[in-house]
Amino acid sequence: MDSTAIPWEEARDAIRTQLGRPLEEVFAEIDPTPLAAASVAQVHAARLHGGDEVVVKIQRPRARAQVTTDLDILVRLAAEAERRTDWARAYGAAALVDEFARALREELDYRVEVANSSMLRGAVEASGGAGLRVPRAYAEFSTAQMIVQERVYGTPFARLAPDAVDAEEARAIADRLLEAVFDQIAVRGVFHADLHAGNVILARDGGVALIDFGAVGILERSMRRLLVPMLVAMANEDDVAVTDVVLLMCGTEGADVVALQRDIGVILTRMRGTRGPDGPGMDENVFRLLLDVLRRNRMALPPSLLLVFRTLASLEGTLRRICPDYDMVDHALSIAPRMALRLASPESAVLSMQTWSALLGEQLLRIPRRVERISRALDEGTLSVRLRSFESPDERGWVDGLAGRLTTTVVGSTLLFAGILLAVDDGGPMLTGDVPAFAFLGSVAGLGGLLLLLRSLRSAFRRR
């Protein structure tokens, strides 16, 4: 729902301030009635002197100060939550809020949005377009608080009537949009990160246009190399492979691998049981379910991947606006192997091999110098080794207990063996008329050794 628009006089003054000149010098005409209004900005239709039809997105004068105050409160709350609670530290609350704050500050700087739209246009053009359109931004008229952008005629998915598009055509449009978004994420690494139904427009020619580029995600290549195999493994219901990829993404510290794999396997089995023409369909988004599993296991995804999963969850709701029974997960997993082939190009493989070969060669060249330093330290008696294992009290207690049991076992065995040797010896002095001294001492030593062995054995079984 649109927010209350600011008066035209206030909006006009803001536009004039950003342009640094009268509106008439840039626009042949501009509509005082906004096309849309939000809490941070509002949009007016206009036409340039060259005849191009554009929209002017002008930021509300007091929006920046209000958002800055709210972000400062969030950052303080996240830091306090991490200081006081284990769950906030486990989820990386401060890092998530920092990433959110950074993204929101970028959304307030419309120069970033102009750069984002240009970057996304390049990614779409590199993938062939597939009916997806990113409107052009006029950088010469855009500033930190205003954007002048090509106007797109069409209907936002949020305002589509249920029967506005033929069912077969609607499914084809949804398939094309999903494949284009997955290409952005998995292959190009640059994607629109706010794909709610208001930002996706069904153009009059049947194509799809994206608007509002304040939130554009960047997924680094190392993460893309993990994301695509994870999707392929999910399509193959391979819970072991999915678990391994998740551990590579999130780290293994403190992870209960068995419990994590079991939870992931349950999700994949449920997903498999609801897919297909005869299946009831899966109402829950598998990516959202995976995030829930990670939260239960006290694991946190890197912020860039978290943004990917959030984007996919938002995209599913958008696609169902045009095709109510659309199964995004089923189609997404079916195209994952194709995306893997696009990512693993021969040229990229050759370049990666050259890079890693150069790094390996550099490391090999440094080995003689390191060996020489170790040899010198040995000669000078200054070589020291620090072990990081057994630093916690529990680990040290386990080592101390093991050493104690080992010592008790060795002493007990020695006493028992010595007792047996003394007991069978017929020589030596007599303690009494009938009792040899060696036999008596052997019996005492053997009894002591036996008691020590029994104590060690009892302690070992108690530990189990």
Side-chain angles (χ1 to χ4, degrees):
M1 182 180 295
D2 289 348
S3 300
T4 302
I6 61 175
W8 166 241
E9 291 75 17
E10 188 176 348
R12 182 185 58 201
D13 291 343
I15 294 172
R16 182 189 300 117
T17 300
Q18 295 304 311
L19 287 174
R21 49 184 156 167
L23 275 64
E24 294 76 14
E25 292 186 14
V26 176
F27 304 110
E29 60 178 302
I30 184 168
D31 189 351
T33 303
L35 290 172
S39 59
V40 174
Q42 64 188 44
V43 179
H44 293 265
R47 182 166 53 83
L48 299 176
H49 284 295
D52 293 346
E53 296 193 46
V54 298
V55 292
V56 180
K57 179 179 177 181
I58 183 67
Q59 192 174 111
R60 292 174 181 256
R62 291 175 291 275
R64 185 179 295 268
Q66 182 179 347
V67 170
T68 300
T69 301
D70 293 344
L71 287 179
D72 183 63
I73 294 172
L74 275 178
V75 169
R76 292 173 183 269
L77 286 175
E80 185 67 13
E82 282 206 355
R83 190 176 70 84
R84 291 177 176 270
T85 65
D86 292 336
W87 64 264
R89 286 192 294 272
Y91 295 151
L96 291 177
V97 169
D98 286 343
E99 180 67 18
F100 172 74
R102 182 197 63 77
L104 196 53
R105 289 191 185 99
E106 287 188 355
E107 288 189 44
L108 290 174
D109 187 345
Y110 291 164
R111 293 170 300 186
V112 174
E113 184 169 343
V114 170
N116 285 345
S117 66
S118 176
M119 182 168 54
L120 199 59
R121 276 170 62 89
V124 170
E125 290 172 0
S127 64
L132 192 64
R133 181 177 170 191
V134 176
R136 171 196 170 195
Y138 292 79
E140 64 271 26
F141 302 132
S142 301
T143 67
Q145 297 180 30
M146 185 179 75
I147 295 178
V148 178
Q149 193 172 58
E150 174 189 359
R151 185 173 183 181
V152 176
Y153 285 95
T155 306
F157 278 33
R159 298 179 182 175
L160 282 175
D163 56 349
V165 184
D166 176 74
E168 186 175 344
E169 177 62 20
R171 189 169 298 278
I173 291 172
D175 285 347
R176 289 198 300 269
L177 177 57
L178 178 63
E179 292 187 24
V181 171
F182 260 80
D183 183 84
Q184 292 173 22
I185 293 172
V187 181
R188 314 299 164 186
V190 179
F191 60 96
H192 196 303
D194 193 16
L195 291 173
H196 64 75
N199 284 342
V200 183
I201 295 177
L202 181 62
R204 292 176 178 176
D205 61 359
V208 175
L210 305 180
I211 60 172
D212 192 355
F213 305 99
V216 168
I218 305 292
L219 188 64
E220 58 271 32
R221 186 174 181 83
S222 59
M223 285 300 167
R224 300 203 302 274
R225 286 201 301 262
L226 295 176
L227 177 63
V228 174
M230 185 182 75
L231 295 175
V232 175
M234 291 172 70
N236 195 38
E237 200 184 353
D238 189 341
D239 56 303
V240 176
V242 175
T243 303
D244 289 343
V245 173
V246 166
L247 291 173
L248 287 172
M249 290 175 172
C250 305
T252 59
E253 184 177 356
D256 185 342
V257 179
V258 175
L260 177 65
Q261 182 177 327
R262 181 176 62 249
D263 291 344
I264 290 175
V266 168
I267 291 176
L268 298 182
T269 302
R270 287 174 54 190
M271 179 190 70
R272 175 70 67 179
T274 55
R275 289 172 62 189
D278 299 326
M282 197 168 183
D283 292 333
E284 295 177 287
N285 185 288
V286 69
F287 304 108
R288 191 180 294 115
L289 291 175
L290 183 58
L291 287 177
D292 290 341
V293 165
L294 296 181
R295 291 191 188 101
R296 285 201 303 272
N297 286 270
R298 297 295 182 90
M299 302 176 73
L301 280 173
S304 57
L305 276 172
L306 192 63
L307 186 59
V308 168
F309 280 26
R310 192 194 77 176
T311 299
L312 294 176
S314 178
L315 177 63
E316 182 176 44
T318 298
L319 294 174
R320 287 187 174 179
R321 289 297 190 106
I322 192 171
C323 187
D325 61 345
Y326 191 72
D327 189 344
M328 186 195 79
V329 172
D330 183 68
H331 189 66
L333 296 182
S334 69
I335 64 175
R338 199 188 325 153
M339 293 297 169
L341 291 176
R342 291 187 194 175
L343 186 63
S345 66
E347 181 182 358
S348 175
V350 170
L351 291 175
S352 296
M353 189 179 302
Q354 289 178 345
T355 301
W356 286 108
S357 298
L359 290 174
L360 178 61
E362 187 65 25
Q363 293 294 331
L364 291 174
L365 290 174
R366 297 182 183 185
I367 288 178
R369 186 180 302 170
R370 292 173 180 170
V371 172
E372 191 273 334
R373 283 203 300 266
I374 294 173
S375 299
R376 187 188 316 129
L378 283 172
D379 293 338
E380 296 172 354
T382 58
L383 181 67
S384 61
V385 179
R386 181 184 177 187
L387 297 177
R388 288 187 172 271
S389 300
F390 312 124
E391 288 189 346
S392 71
D394 290 341
E395 290 174 338
R396 289 198 297 270
W398 178 80
V399 173
D400 290 342
L402 181 62
R405 291 198 304 275
L406 181 61
T407 302
T408 301
T409 302
V410 171
V411 172
S413 300
T414 302
L415 287 176
L416 182 61
F417 183 68
I420 293 173
L421 291 179
L422 289 172
V424 298
D425 189 355
D426 294 333
M430 300 296 291
L431 189 63
T432 63
D434 299 328
V435 179
F438 285 174
F440 176 77
L441 291 176
S443 299
V444 172
L447 179 61
L450 182 61
L451 291 175
L452 288 176
L453 289 175
L454 290 175
R455 178 182 176 183
S456 177
L457 188 62
R458 177 170 173 266
S459 176
F461 278 109
R462 184 187 300 168
R463 297 282 295 187
R464 289 174 178 240

